Amino acid sequence: MPTLSNFYTIKDVSEHKAKDDCWIIVDGKVYDVTKYLDDHPGGDDVILEATGRDATEDFEDAGHSKSARELMEQYYIGEFDTSSPIATKKGFSESFAQLKKKQYLGLSVAVVGISVIVGFLYLRKK
């Protein structure tokens, strides 16, 4: 008989990113790895860097064994809810990229306009 899983949003998981309360997401599953931190062969700092977010890529890059994957099951607490939108704060580079995409024409027109005015003033002085 199937069991009913808890569903957690990225907001739920991001609220658990401390050494005494540590959740991660791996392959769409949410794990409370707080009790495992001291036992992790790579040290607790490796997990703490990935806590409170989707750590699938970090987990896969480390090349965990089959037994490590089986060990994770005892820390499973629910599924990652992908139905809610993930709101992220844009960094400077992302904001600049959006500005560049959206206002490229306006910036080009401004540069051309300033060049025309400077050229006109330069020729007027002669």
Side-chain angles (χ1 to χ4, degrees), residues 18-90:
K19 188 169 183 162
D20 61 339
D21 185 20
C22 181
W23 292 13
I24 60 171
I25 303 166
V26 176
D27 291 328
K29 294 181 178 183
V30 180
Y31 299 92
D32 181 351
V33 292
T34 309
K35 294 179 181 175
Y36 183 66
L37 290 175
D38 292 333
D39 298 330
H40 187 256
D44 64 354
D45 57 328
V46 175
I47 296 177
L48 288 171
E49 285 180 25
T51 192
R53 64 178 176 82
D54 189 338
T56 304
E57 190 174 321
D58 299 316
F59 184 82
E60 295 300 332
D61 287 348
H64 286 91
S65 65
K66 183 178 178 183
S67 61
R69 293 173 191 276
E70 291 170 357
L71 179 65
M72 281 182 59
E73 292 308 313
Q74 65 183 321
Y75 301 103
Y76 171 81
I77 58 172
E79 297 291 318
F80 177 51
D81 181 8
T82 58
S83 65
S84 62
I86 299 173
T88 58
K89 218 178 192 181
K90 288 186 180 179

Side-chain angles (χ1 to χ4, degrees), residues 67-126:
S67 61
R69 293 173 191 276
E70 291 170 357
L71 179 65
M72 281 182 59
E73 292 308 313
Q74 65 183 321
Y75 301 103
Y76 171 81
I77 58 172
E79 297 291 318
F80 177 51
D81 181 8
T82 58
S83 65
S84 62
I86 299 173
T88 58
K89 218 178 192 181
K90 288 186 180 179
F92 175 75
S93 60
E94 289 176 294
S95 298
F96 183 73
Q98 289 293 6
L99 173 73
K100 201 164 97 175
K101 288 178 184 175
K102 291 180 180 177
Q103 297 178 346
Y104 183 74
L105 180 61
L107 182 62
S108 299
V109 169
V111 169
V112 169
I114 291 171
S115 299
V116 168
I117 292 171
V118 169
F120 178 74
L121 292 173
Y122 176 75
L123 289 175
R124 192 167 180 212
K125 283 186 178 183
K126 282 188 168 185

